[in-house]
Amino acid sequence: MLEELIPYIKPPEKLIADLPVIGPLKLQVFGPLVAVGVILGYHRCLAFAKKRDMDEFIARDLMFYILITGFVISHWVSVLFYFPEDVARNPRCC
């Protein structure tokens, strides 16, 4: 019932390339938003580290490992909760 009250808006996407093995490579709205969030968060954390007189290189390394770990864990959560039938069919696919 709620679907009838909220209009569905499909965000625009642009086909960049059609790669033979991977498939279509599209530029969507979500990608640049994630990139902007990562860049802004990186600069804010670096400013916080400098303000607290922390070592800049340790702060950069820590942010890098947190970012990679966050992306990997969010991918696993997405696959396990949104596509459990794919995992049940082939557990090594993801």
Side-chain angles (χ1 to χ4, degrees):
M1 177 165 165
L2 190 59
E3 295 88 15
E4 297 162 358
L5 299 175
I6 300 173
Y8 178 73
I9 300 172
K10 185 170 170 63
E13 57 185 40
K14 179 172 174 55
L15 181 66
I16 296 174
D18 195 8
L19 303 174
V21 176
I22 299 173
L25 185 61
K26 298 176 184 176
L27 180 62
Q28 300 173 339
V29 176
F30 183 70
L33 287 176
V34 170
V36 167
V38 167
I39 291 169
L40 287 176
Y42 175 81
H43 287 293
R44 293 289 297 152
C45 288
L46 202 55
F48 180 79
K50 287 179 182 177
K51 182 179 172 184
R52 301 284 182 190
D53 201 29
M54 296 170 63
D55 187 15
E56 182 178 338
F57 295 106
I58 292 176
R60 287 182 185 200
D61 285 345
L62 182 63
M63 285 187 287
F64 174 76
Y65 290 122
I66 288 173
L67 182 69
I68 297 300
T69 304
F71 276 125
V72 169
I73 290 175
S74 67
H75 175 72
W76 287 345
V77 167
S78 169
V79 168
L80 289 175
F81 287 108
Y82 292 112
F83 308 105
E85 63 278 351
D86 292 344
V87 177
R89 251 186 281 128
N90 186 6
R92 293 176 41 187
C93 74
C94 312

